[in-house]
């Protein structure tokens, strides 16, 4: 207890310096926690367990091009294929351009099977499924999206698409609760609505999402499909859904390298600042340390005392930084998740919290050990000359 009291009194000997050091550490932890969590959230888009059973068949040149719907005939003949659905990005806006969210045209019945995990199909009442399949103007929406706009079953949702210069009036037939909030931030409707209203979409789809019976069959299925449509008017590119999502994310650039580079720069900067601060704090206490040794404190006790101060300082900075990061992450998930569906799952994971604590402890050890070791080994007479 006396040792802890001594550590605390020494630590807060200069309250301003201690406060500023804790603040600088906490800002660094805050940045690292947010950046690493953002990276983890983005990577989760391409590492979904359910996605491992699906692959996407798209136009070889670009996923923005449409392909013939007749390609479905060949997919249907493949024994390894369980189900598949066509889909087309609609880009519809609800009442105002700022009310942007993901919305697609799909094949209703296959869609529910292909994405049964994301839609949490077993939890959807059968009467809602029946209404969705019967109503050509029906649509399915996630709970989070429905709550955002105050929608309920039976409501009519007008969606205006600048891409197709078309407004669809869709009846809400299913409101589902997904396994993740990001899964609940979209709307899907019957793709026939789009094909009947837009002449150049007749008999065309954006792509196919295919669910394989066995994930191990996906590579040979992709190769067979692309080989079949090679040298046709529109060749295909078949890739796993995770790879498809990763290609979408790569449109943002090499975000992984950027995040790791920024995190490394922050770590180096804070290591320099903390080491300099600890060295200065210990150097100013040369006389005090020499007096303590003259009173009977051993070198090992002095070293332990100084190391404890450094580690406690690091833990205080870590705790404050983590608290700040968790608060900002919660707010970002609510605000940014309205625009970017995947941000609805943005949290500071336990793994990231542990990483931040370990990093700050390592910083505390590295920045304190050398000046503390030198101070504990300095001759007593040298330190007492200043008296």
């Amino acid at each position: 207890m006396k040792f802890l009291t001594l550590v605390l009194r020494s630590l807060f000997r200069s309250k301003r310096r201690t406060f500023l050091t804790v603040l600088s550490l906490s800002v660094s932890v805050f940045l690292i926690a947010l950046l690493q969590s953002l990276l983890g959230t983005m990577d989760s888009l391409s590492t979904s367990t359910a996605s491992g059973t699906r692959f996407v068949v798209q136009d070889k040149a670009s996923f923005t091009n449409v392909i013939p719907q007749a390609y479905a005939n060949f997919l249907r003949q493949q024994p390894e294929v369980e189900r598949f659905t066509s889909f087309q990005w609609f880009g519809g806006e609800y009442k105002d351009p700022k009310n942007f969210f993901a919305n697609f045209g799909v094949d209703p019945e296959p869609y529910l099977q292909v994405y049964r995990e994301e839609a949490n199909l077993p939890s959807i009442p059968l009467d809602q499924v029946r209404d969705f399949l019967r109503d050509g103007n029906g649509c399915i929406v996630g709970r989070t999206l429905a709550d955002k706009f105050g929608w309920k079953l039976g409501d009519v949702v007008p969606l205006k698409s600048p891409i197709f210069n078309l407004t669809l009036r869709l009846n809400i037939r299913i409101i589902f609760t997904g396994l993740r909030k990001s899964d609940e931030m979209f709307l899907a409707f019957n793709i026939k609505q789009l094909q009947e209203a837009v002449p150049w979409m007749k008999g065309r789809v954006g792509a196919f999402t295919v669910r394989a019976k066995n994930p191990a069959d996906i590579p040979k299925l992709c190769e067979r499909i692309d080989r079949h449509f090679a040298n046709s008017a529109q060749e295909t590119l078949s890739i796993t859904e995770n790879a498809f999502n990763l290609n979408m994310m790569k449109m943002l650039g090499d975000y992984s390298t950027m995040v790791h580079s920024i995190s490394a720069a922050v770590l180096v900067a804070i290591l320099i600042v903390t080491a300099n601060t600890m060295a200065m704090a210990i150097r100013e206490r040369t006389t005090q340390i020499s007096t303590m040794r003259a009173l009977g404190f051993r070198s090992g006790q002095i070293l332990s005392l100084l190391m404890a101060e450094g580690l406690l300082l690091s833990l205080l900075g870590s705790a404050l930084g983590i608290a700040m990061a968790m608060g900002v992450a919660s707010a970002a998930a609510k605000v940014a998740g309205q625009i970017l569906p995947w941000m609805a799952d943005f949290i500071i994971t336990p793994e990231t919290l542990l990483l931040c604590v370990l990093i700050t402890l390592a910083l505390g050890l590295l920045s304190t050990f050398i000046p503390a070791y030198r101070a504990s080994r300095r001759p007593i007479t040298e330190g007492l000359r200043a008296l």
Side-chain angles (χ1 to χ4, degrees):
M1 182 59 73
K2 290 181 180 178
F3 186 79
L4 179 61
T5 303
L6 192 56
V7 169
L8 292 175
R9 286 184 176 177
S10 299
L11 185 62
F12 292 101
R13 181 168 173 263
S14 175
K15 293 184 176 60
R16 178 182 298 176
R17 181 164 53 205
T18 300
F19 172 75
L20 292 176
T21 305
V22 169
L23 185 61
S24 62
L25 276 169
S26 63
V27 170
S28 302
V29 172
F30 166 76
L31 290 174
I32 292 172
L34 280 186
L35 289 173
Q36 292 300 318
S37 297
L38 179 63
L39 183 62
T41 303
M42 296 171 77
D43 284 344
S44 69
L45 295 175
S46 59
T47 56
S48 168
T49 303
S51 292
T53 62
R54 298 188 295 252
F55 63 98
V56 176
V57 180
Q58 65 170 66
D59 180 78
K60 186 176 182 179
S62 172
F63 64 84
T64 59
N65 296 339
V66 293
I67 57 178
Q69 190 173 21
Y71 283 7
N73 296 330
F74 182 74
L75 299 179
R76 199 171 291 114
Q77 296 169 4
Q78 307 312 305
E80 299 92 344
V81 171
E82 179 185 322
R83 298 300 298 270
F84 64 88
T85 176
S86 58
F87 71 89
Q88 173 62 50
W89 172 257
F90 185 57
E93 299 162 351
Y94 175 62
K95 293 184 178 178
D96 191 283
K98 68 180 181 182
N99 294 329
F100 172 81
F101 54 87
N103 44 85
F104 302 87
V106 300
D107 298 320
E109 196 277 332
Y111 171 80
L112 292 177
Q113 295 298 328
V114 172
Y115 287 96
R116 53 179 176 262
E117 290 88 359
E118 285 79 0
N120 198 7
L121 182 59
S123 69
I124 301 176
L126 291 178
D127 58 330
Q128 291 187 28
V129 175
R130 185 175 58 249
D131 291 345
F132 175 54
L133 299 181
R134 287 179 176 175
D135 186 356
N137 295 326
C139 67
I140 175 174
V141 300
R143 170 59 62 187
T144 302
L145 186 62
D147 290 344
K148 176 184 177 182
F149 294 113
W151 293 338
K152 57 183 183 299
L153 288 174
D155 282 357
V156 178
V157 177
L159 278 186
K160 182 179 180 180
S161 170
I163 301 173
F164 296 97
N165 192 25
L166 173 69
T167 298
L168 295 179
R169 296 180 62 82
L170 306 169
N171 304 318
I172 296 179
R173 297 305 183 191
I174 294 177
I175 297 178
F176 71 93
T177 301
L179 301 179
R180 301 179 304 179
K181 286 187 177 179
S182 58
D183 294 333
E184 300 175 358
M185 290 297 296
F186 79 96
L187 177 152
F189 59 90
N190 195 327
I191 196 172
K192 288 183 180 177
Q193 289 271 320
L194 190 56
Q195 293 170 325
E196 292 172 357
V198 180
W200 59 267
M201 275 299 299
K202 188 174 183 179
R204 319 287 289 183
V205 299
F208 294 97
T209 299
V210 184
R211 186 172 189 124
K213 294 176 182 176
N214 186 346
D217 294 330
I218 290 180
K220 64 181 181 184
L221 266 172
C222 291
E223 190 277 333
R224 189 189 308 157
I225 293 168
D226 291 342
R227 178 159 41 85
H228 179 78
F229 293 112
N231 301 318
S232 64
Q234 278 189 277
E235 299 185 16
T236 60
L237 173 65
S238 303
I239 54 176
T240 64
E241 190 176 74
N242 285 335
F244 179 80
N245 291 334
L246 190 60
N247 286 340
M248 298 283 286
M249 297 306 298
K250 282 182 177 178
M251 294 174 66
L252 301 175
D254 190 357
Y255 61 88
S256 179
T257 301
M258 287 190 291
V259 169
H260 286 309
S261 299
I262 295 172
S263 298
V266 170
L267 283 176
V268 171
I270 196 59
L271 177 61
I272 294 173
V273 170
T274 308
N276 184 57
T277 303
M278 293 306 298
M280 185 184 302
I282 293 174
R283 189 166 53 246
E284 289 178 355
R285 293 162 58 191
T286 300
T287 304
Q288 178 195 355
I289 292 171
S290 297
T291 303
M292 291 174 67
R293 291 188 61 194
L295 292 174
F297 282 83
R298 295 188 297 276
S299 296
Q301 290 176 309
I302 297 294
L303 178 62
S304 301
L305 179 68
L306 296 175
M307 292 300 297
E309 288 180 32
L311 291 176
L312 184 57
L313 194 70
S314 300
L315 287 176
L316 288 174
S318 177
L320 181 59
I322 287 173
M324 292 164 56
M326 294 183 73
V328 171
S330 177
K334 292 179 182 176
V335 177
Q338 305 294 325
I339 303 172
L340 303 171
W342 52 272
M343 279 296 291
D345 295 326
F346 184 48
I347 59 170
I348 308 297
T349 63
E351 292 79 10
T352 303
L353 296 180
L354 179 61
L355 175 67
C356 291
V357 172
L358 293 177
I359 285 175
T360 48
L361 286 177
L363 283 175
L365 286 172
L366 289 173
S367 60
T368 308
F369 179 74
I370 293 178
Y373 182 79
R374 287 178 176 173
S376 64
R377 293 294 188 274
R378 180 170 298 166
I380 298 175
T381 52
E382 184 179 326
L384 293 177
R385 284 175 188 166
L387 286 175

